[in-house]
């Protein structure tokens, strides 16, 4: 008889989204502590900041990066930069356990040999959102993207290859990992406004890490 109904973390399981994309439920749960410690150290060097879009809006999501390249946006456009524009210094190095988690998740999703060089870290307070977009600033669009969710639950919007395609709503919980590539690589996606709540580790926020091969 199994009396340990509540104290054992769930085993990871996978949920297909569309060809080339799947959710690895709870895949990162055992890595929570090292991810949060890593993010804290990265943010001490390269603080979270709300960037400007080329259209002149301030994003509701605060961002930082680690790795040899970091995603940035300002009045001149979206791009990758090897330095943090706030400090002029290189972004903090990508921790080895971040890279190995991303590589293992990519492999589990059928994308062997994923070498991430960029990790964008997004911080969502309650109410923050990310409009539907494509990730197309990376040089090699054959490499997948691995996305790790921590903290408050979010509603991920998963559309199609046209901006006007109807998006389905996919709940993403603390510890869930999304991997996509191949024919899904240019699918429009976004995050609905974050609902209020209290996460035991992260309080009123959500963190998301997206690992990419940018350069
Ligand atoms: C987020 N994620 O989950 C926003 N992009 O906060 C993304 O925009 C994203 O999760 C590309 C691949 C995976 C993602
Ligand atoms: Fe994206």
């Amino acid at each position: 008889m199994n009396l340990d109904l509540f104290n054992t973390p769930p085993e990871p399981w996978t949920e297909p989204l569309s060809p080339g994309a799947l959710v690895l439920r709870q895949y990162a749960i055992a890595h929570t502590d090292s991810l949060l410690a890593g993010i804290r150290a990265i943010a001490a060097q390269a603080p979270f900041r709300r960037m400007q879009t080329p259209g002149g809006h301030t994003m509701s999501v605060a961002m930082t990066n680690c790795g040899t390249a970091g995603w940035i946006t300002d009045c001149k456009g979206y791009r990758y930069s090897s330095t943090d524009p706030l400090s002029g210094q290189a972004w903090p190095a990508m921790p080895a356990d971040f890279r190995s988690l991303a590589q293992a998740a990519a492999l589990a999703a059928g994308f062997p040999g994923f070498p991430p060089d960029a990790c964008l870290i997004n911080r969502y307070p309650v109410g923050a959102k990310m409009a539907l977009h494509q990730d197309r600033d990376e040089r090699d669009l054959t490499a997948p993207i691995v996305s790790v969710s921590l903290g408050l639950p979010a509603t991920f919007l998963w559309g199609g290859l046209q901006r006007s395609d109807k998006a389905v709503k996919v709940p993403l919980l603390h510890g869930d990992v999304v991997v996509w590539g191949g024919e899904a690589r240019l699918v429009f996606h976004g995050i609905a406004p974050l609902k209020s709540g209290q996460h035991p580790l992260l309080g009123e926020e959500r963190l998301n890490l997206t690992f990419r091969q940018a350069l």
Side-chain angles (χ1 to χ4, degrees):
M1 188 161 57
N2 179 10
L3 294 175
D4 180 25
L5 291 173
F6 300 107
N7 290 325
T8 308
E11 288 298 308
W13 71 100
T14 68
E15 247 175 62
L17 278 178
S18 69
L22 51 80
V23 186
L24 304 171
R25 294 286 179 196
Q26 297 298 297
Y27 191 86
I29 198 73
H31 302 270
T32 299
D33 292 351
S34 76
L35 289 169
L36 292 179
I39 293 168
R40 207 169 300 123
I42 290 158
Q45 250 181 277
F48 283 99
R49 81 294 303 263
R50 291 171 64 191
M51 300 186 197
Q52 302 291 126
T53 67
H57 295 284
T58 301
M59 297 186 79
S60 58
V61 178
M63 300 179 168
T64 186
N65 289 278
C66 65
T68 55
W71 187 85
I72 61 170
T73 172
D74 60 18
C75 58
K76 291 180 281 183
Y78 305 130
R79 62 200 179 278
Y80 283 91
S81 169
S82 58
T83 55
D84 177 351
L86 284 185
S87 65
Q89 305 294 304
W91 296 103
M94 190 184 301
D97 48 347
F98 282 37
R99 178 181 287 101
S100 57
L101 172 64
Q103 229 154 28
L107 178 63
F111 299 98
F114 174 52
D117 56 12
C119 173
L120 170 65
I121 307 172
N122 295 142
R123 187 180 68 193
Y124 293 72
V126 169
K129 62 181 166 41
M130 191 166 300
L132 277 188
H133 66 278
Q134 291 171 300
D135 286 37
R136 55 183 319 152
D137 302 317
E138 299 74 30
R139 182 173 313 181
D140 176 3
L141 295 176
T142 66
I145 297 184
V146 173
S147 163
V148 178
S149 291
L150 297 171
L152 282 183
T155 299
F156 188 52
L157 306 171
W158 179 251
L161 293 173
Q162 307 294 324
R163 186 180 292 280
S164 55
D165 289 341
K166 190 174 158 45
V168 298
K169 294 179 177 175
V170 182
L172 292 181
L173 304 185
H174 178 81
D176 289 346
V177 176
V178 185
V179 182
W180 77 71
E183 63 186 280
R185 185 61 177 72
L186 290 175
V187 164
F188 280 89
H189 58 279
I191 294 284
L194 199 73
K195 293 199 180 94
S196 68
Q198 275 289 337
H199 187 271
L201 293 174
L202 283 160
E204 292 192 283
E205 69 187 33
R206 170 177 185 259
L207 294 171
N208 168 261
L209 302 96
T210 51
F211 294 90
R212 302 110 187 281
Q213 185 187 329
L215 304 182

